[in-house]
Amino acid sequence: MADHSSSSSSGDYYLGVDVGTSSARAAIVDAHGRILATHVSPLETNAPRPDYFEQSSENIWQASCTAVQHAVRQSNIDPTAIKGLGFDATCSLVALSYTLAPVTVSPTNLPKWNVIMWMDHRASAEAAEMSATGHAVLQRTGGKISEEMSAAKTLWLARRMPDSYTQAETLIELPDFLTLKATGRAARGLNSLACKWTYDVDNGFDDVFWRAVGMDALVDDGYAKFLGHEKAVAGVGEVVGLLTEEAAREMGIPACAGLKVGAGIIDAYAGAIGTLGASLTPSAPLTLDTVATRMAVICGTSSCHIALSRAQHFIPGVWGPYNSILLPEFHVHEGGQSLTGALLDHIIKTHPAFPHLNRKEPYAHLNTLVADLARESNTNPASFPAQLTTDLHLTPDFHGNRSPLADAALRGVVVGAALDVSLNALAKLYLATVQALAYGARQIIDAANAGGHAVKELVVSGGLCKNAVFVQTLADATRCRVLLPREADAVLLGAAMLGAAAAGGGGGGALWDRMVQMGAVGTVVEPCQGEESDFHQRKYEVFEELYRMQAFAKDRMRGVRAASQ
């Protein structure tokens, strides 16, 4: 739980709810974008098999309501001053019956587990089948369907658990489930439909594509499982409906029944909304003409990289272009890394020296060790901490590569491993992992710029933006200026901005106004220059060579693998 309580008693306030991988969080935000109070409620997760990750929609809703209750109480505001509510959540698939009861998606067959999480890779075969169609819809998914997309997970459910698929009258993205619970309206958000379900803002779903993978009944029924019988699709910044009395009571704010609820979005896009409009100074607000030079980098368990452009570009291995899913008349590209914060956790927790770290602040301890080691090895006045990893190189794809290689079968590589299991060795391995994540981000930025973008600045949010070593390394490795928001919890801020836009009547123009009014840059981090910049360029060249080595190894061993299967 975090508490930034305020005794403010005047003005309008907005409520943002963010459902992440491991928790549901709520925040009260004022009209100037200041977060007054937050609360975190943990979520339950089930992992019945390797690469299977499941959650419970009922647990998620209960945790969200608990978070709201505490955040409102801690803020010390009059709840009637809350004028709008916005939700974001992970891109996870929720299965519900005709009565909106949970329908199992789990090999345990327990109805409780009715959510296939974003990080679940059970649908790899279905994703490959959809990709093999070569259909035109793949132009907007980087050339492939990812097993992390709800489109592939739906096909898996239809093939592997047909009884559950039949019972599930509603298959809905988690952000839209939250707005459904809040308003009683089953409107789908354009944001997640376009990103994860192959929906096109102009043409809807493509019948030929879905028939090609055997989903004729879905097509014949008008995609009712996907769209609901209303077939209502809400754009980002639009109003979905009004908070019901029942939902308001569950949230502990009955006085707020009837407030406007904005369309739900994927959590990474809430981070983009919370940062892309942030100005360096209040006297020079950002304009729509300059927002296209920025990329939002949202770093948590995984990372997403979101860039906007008025022109439409098609970039292999990068999702999009998606039209008007963030701001009207802008096309969006989304890159991503499947593991970032989770990879760092894995690296340090599986190392023999982990028990000797400060358990309360392991990353602060590691950052101190890195600085100490750099000082101790400073025999050359021009040396710098990054040189500690001169002979240690990693690729970060322990859970596959989302972008720009779009290969879920890729795995991580470590070059330069030794028998040293000391804390110092862990510090160096940690630093090399941070660098690998930053070089992976550079791959995505390079692909975006080669495809027509002009990214010069990174606006960074998420848990990793609090790690100074990560932030500086990201700037150094990508050669981009990094901007950190005034409010570090930009994802929650972005969710509240959705509520603020809805309160103002909704629409993309209203959302952009809120992004500028409520967003602000807190810290500017410049990339390194000179010899240190050259060092990162050399390491990046090694980084890319490791991918070529993996491709060679797979090609060379392909016949052996086939013979052993």
Side-chain angles (χ1 to χ4, degrees):
M1 180 182 71
D3 185 358
H4 313 286
S5 59
S6 167
S7 58
S8 298
S9 58
S10 61
D12 293 340
Y13 300 94
Y14 307 100
L15 179 56
V17 176
D18 161 59
V19 175
T21 300
S22 59
S23 66
R25 306 181 303 146
I28 296 295
V29 181
D30 69 18
H32 303 291
R34 297 282 187 179
I35 296 178
L36 306 185
T38 66
H39 187 86
V40 181
S41 295
L43 298 177
E44 300 173 358
T45 299
N46 186 47
R49 295 177 182 172
D51 286 338
Y52 281 52
F53 298 95
E54 303 163 351
Q55 289 181 321
S56 159
S57 64
E58 291 184 342
N59 172 247
I60 289 169
W61 178 248
Q62 291 165 1
S64 299
C65 291
T66 298
V68 170
Q69 292 168 18
H70 286 276
V72 173
R73 187 178 306 126
Q74 291 159 16
S75 69
N76 294 324
I77 67 166
D78 178 356
T80 60
I82 301 173
K83 302 303 181 183
L85 167 60
F87 290 97
D88 74 78
T90 63
C91 46
S92 300
L93 177 67
V94 183
L96 302 170
S97 71
Y98 176 77
T99 60
L100 301 183
V103 174
T104 185
V105 296
S106 175
T108 67
N109 285 318
L110 294 174
K112 173 180 180 177
W113 305 116
N114 70 319
V115 179
I116 304 179
M117 291 180 68
W118 67 270
M119 61 194 293
D120 187 292
H121 280 193
R122 70 182 69 183
S124 57
E126 288 72 22
E129 179 184 346
M130 296 174 112
S131 299
T133 64
H135 194 277
V137 299
L138 303 177
Q139 288 183 312
R140 299 190 186 277
T141 63
K144 295 181 179 180
I145 295 291
S146 168
E147 49 272 272
E148 294 181 8
M149 293 179 176
S150 292
K153 292 168 183 173
T154 296
L155 185 58
W156 180 92
L157 194 65
R159 297 275 179 82
R160 311 298 181 93
M161 297 186 70
D163 290 344
S164 288
Y165 178 79
T166 300
Q167 187 183 353
E169 169 144 335
T170 296
L171 293 173
I172 195 167
E173 199 80 4
L174 185 52
D176 298 334
F177 165 77
L178 295 170
T179 59
L180 168 63
K181 291 290 289 184
T183 68
R185 290 201 64 218
R188 289 351 188 229
L190 173 62
N191 177 264
S192 55
L193 276 181
C195 293
K196 308 301 176 185
W197 298 73
T198 74
Y199 183 87
D200 182 81
V201 64
D202 297 314
N203 303 305
F205 289 107
D206 191 293
D207 294 351
V208 175
F209 172 74
W210 284 98
R211 290 190 189 280
V213 292
M215 299 292 279
D216 296 83
L218 176 73
V219 177
D220 293 341
D221 196 32
Y223 304 95
K225 282 183 186 287
F226 288 1
L227 294 174
H229 294 291
E230 286 185 59
K231 295 188 178 179
V233 177
V236 178
E238 294 182 1
V239 180
V240 168
L242 304 180
L243 187 67
T244 66
E245 291 185 3
E246 179 183 1
R249 283 195 303 270
E250 291 179 293
M251 291 179 173
I253 48 173
C256 295
L259 67 79
K260 293 179 180 178
V261 178
I265 60 172
I266 298 167
D267 52 354
Y269 283 84
I273 287 170
T275 56
L276 281 173
S279 301
L280 289 167
T281 62
S283 60
L286 196 72
T287 68
L288 283 170
D289 291 329
T290 56
V291 73
T293 64
R294 289 182 168 182
M295 175 180 281
V297 182
I298 304 91
C299 304
T301 302
S302 63
S303 288
C304 287
H305 306 72
I306 296 172
L308 285 73
S309 173
R310 289 193 184 276
Q312 182 171 234
H313 309 297
F314 292 91
I315 304 172
V318 178
W319 297 342
Y322 303 123
N323 186 24
S324 299
I325 66 161
L326 191 62
L327 291 172
E329 301 179 8
F330 275 91
H331 300 277
V332 175
H333 272 106
E334 178 188 348
Q337 294 168 282
S338 293
L339 294 181
T340 46
L343 178 61
L344 289 171
D345 283 346
H346 171 78
I347 289 294
I348 70 168
K349 289 179 180 179
T350 57
H351 195 278
F354 174 64
H356 304 293
L357 274 179
N358 181 330
R359 295 300 184 87
K360 291 185 177 180
E361 296 184 338
Y363 291 105
H365 190 180
L366 286 167
N367 289 347
T368 298
L369 285 171
V370 167
D372 290 344
L373 285 171
R375 281 192 295 270
E376 291 169 8
S377 63
N378 189 8
T379 56
N380 178 347
S383 65
F384 38 85
Q387 286 180 319
L388 293 171
T389 64
T390 297
D391 299 314
L392 185 58
H393 308 274
L394 274 80
T395 62
D397 308 299
F398 285 45
H399 196 54
N401 184 285
R402 190 186 298 169
S403 307
L405 304 178
D407 185 351
L410 273 178
R411 290 297 178 262
V413 172
V414 180
V415 173
L419 295 176
D420 187 354
V421 294
S422 66
L423 264 178
N424 288 347
L426 173 55
K428 292 179 182 180
L429 181 62
Y430 156 74
L431 179 60
T433 307
V434 169
Q435 291 169 345
L437 293 172
Y439 300 140
R442 177 172 167 179
Q443 277 188 324
I444 295 168
I445 295 164
D446 286 354
N449 286 342
H453 286 273
V455 174
K456 298 176 182 177
E457 293 181 334
L458 308 180
V459 283
V460 181
S461 60
L464 283 177
C465 78
K466 301 171 186 176
N467 185 325
V469 169
F470 174 82
V471 171
Q472 186 63 62
T473 302
L474 183 65
D476 295 342
T478 62
R479 300 179 174 181
C480 291
R481 170 191 279 184
V482 170
L483 308 178
L484 300 180
R486 178 189 62 198
E487 292 289 345
D489 215 332
V491 174
L492 269 174
L493 175 59
M497 287 177 178
L498 294 173
L511 178 60
W512 173 250
D513 290 343
R514 295 297 189 173
M515 289 167 63
V516 173
Q517 292 166 8
M518 299 171 70
V521 173
T523 304
V524 179
V525 179
E526 300 288 352
C528 63
Q529 303 293 326
E531 184 179 347
E532 189 170 1
S533 179
D534 179 65
F535 172 85
H536 283 289
Q537 176 61 30
R538 289 169 183 261
K539 283 213 71 169
Y540 183 62
E541 291 169 5
V542 173
F543 181 80
E544 293 200 301
E545 187 63 34
L546 293 178
Y547 285 100
R548 289 187 282 270
M549 181 275 290
Q550 280 200 77
F552 166 77
K554 283 191 174 185
D555 182 67
R556 190 73 183 92
M557 302 305 294
R558 185 173 291 116
V560 176
R561 184 181 297 110
S564 66
Q565 290 177 342

